[in-house]
Amino acid sequence: ARTLRYNQDPKIAAQLAFQAEQALANSFLNAEMQKALADEANIREFYERNKSIYKQVHARHILIRLPGSVVPLREGQKEKTEEEALAHVQELRKRLVAGDDFEAIAKAESDDVGSGSRGGDLGFFSAGQMVAPFEAAAFALKEKEISEPVRTQFGFHIIQMLEIKERAFDEVKAEIKEKSGTELR
């Protein structure tokens, strides 16, 4: 193309000049973003402003399903009305508050057979991993506290907060560095 002097055509020459400027601008922007990402103060400031993102809770629950829930009925179980499900979950909560063993009740009663087989244990989770009503209730609890019944599309839950932890800055620093420069601002 150069031999045939395509680069001397005014339209092509303008396009080449524009592309060269664009490449230079992109190079400058990338370098500046890398400086911002490498700046420990920016990363720490982002962490401090967004500590709630790095908070995790360890909870367990008991689920009593609602009619039409995607959670399947356990073998031999009959469908409860919403009123029956609420009455059942309220009775279970009374037993728990009175000191009955959460793990044993979850294994025997929870319609979430996956977590139920582990005594209702859900492990640690962060904001954004559970359905909104469940998450709001779980994050509002204090350690060892048992929630009132929480209704979701799956049914009624009783949640017990086991532990709260915040991931330390050093633990999430690399994760924060992966964010773009504009996210850090």
Side-chain angles (χ1 to χ4, degrees):
R2 287 188 196 281
T3 306
L4 296 174
R5 299 179 181 218
Y6 276 70
N7 59 331
Q8 292 181 2
D9 179 294
K11 287 182 183 176
I12 293 174
Q15 186 177 8
L16 288 171
F18 175 75
Q19 288 176 339
E21 288 297 314
Q22 197 171 26
L24 188 60
N26 283 340
S27 179
F28 172 76
L29 182 59
N30 285 337
E32 290 301 308
M33 285 176 65
Q34 289 308 313
K35 278 192 239 175
L37 288 171
D39 184 355
E40 179 104 4
N42 282 345
I43 296 168
R44 186 168 290 281
E45 182 184 327
F46 178 87
Y47 172 78
E48 293 299 329
R49 276 195 330 264
N50 296 282
K51 265 190 172 175
S52 64
I53 295 171
Y54 304 105
K55 180 179 177 181
Q56 293 182 312
V57 296
H58 180 196
R60 58 186 175 184
H61 82 134
I62 296 170
L63 170 68
I64 303 302
R65 71 183 296 285
L66 286 171
S69 172
V70 296
V71 176
L73 280 168
R74 288 186 299 158
E75 192 174 321
Q77 182 182 24
K78 79 170 192 71
E79 184 84 70
K80 291 180 177 77
T81 66
E82 185 163 342
E83 295 76 23
E84 290 170 330
L86 180 58
H88 187 186
V89 81
Q90 287 171 331
E91 181 57 37
L92 294 176
R93 184 178 187 282
K94 282 181 194 172
R95 289 174 52 197
L96 293 167
V97 170
D100 281 6
D101 182 36
F102 195 107
E103 187 174 335
I105 292 175
K107 285 178 178 178
E109 301 284 343
S110 185
D111 290 329
D112 179 353
V113 294
S115 72
S117 67
R118 298 184 307 275
D121 196 339
L122 297 168
F124 279 96
F125 56 90
S126 302
Q129 290 185 277
M130 301 291 181
V131 293
F134 185 97
E135 181 179 295
F139 277 84
L141 294 170
K142 295 178 179 83
E143 286 188 14
K144 309 302 180 215
E145 188 176 8
I146 296 172
S147 73
E148 292 293 330
V150 177
R151 187 183 194 284
T152 70
Q153 68 264 37
F154 304 109
F156 290 104
H157 306 259
I158 303 169
I159 307 165
Q160 183 181 37
M161 170 63 63
L162 297 173
E163 185 181 353
I164 301 168
K165 74 174 183 178
E166 283 187 12
R167 294 169 63 204
F169 175 72
D170 289 336
E171 188 182 340
V172 298
K173 184 176 165 181
E175 196 176 306
I176 295 171
K177 275 186 174 183
E178 291 176 9
K179 297 185 178 301
S180 75
T182 54
E183 286 179 293
L184 289 179
R185 304 248 182 294

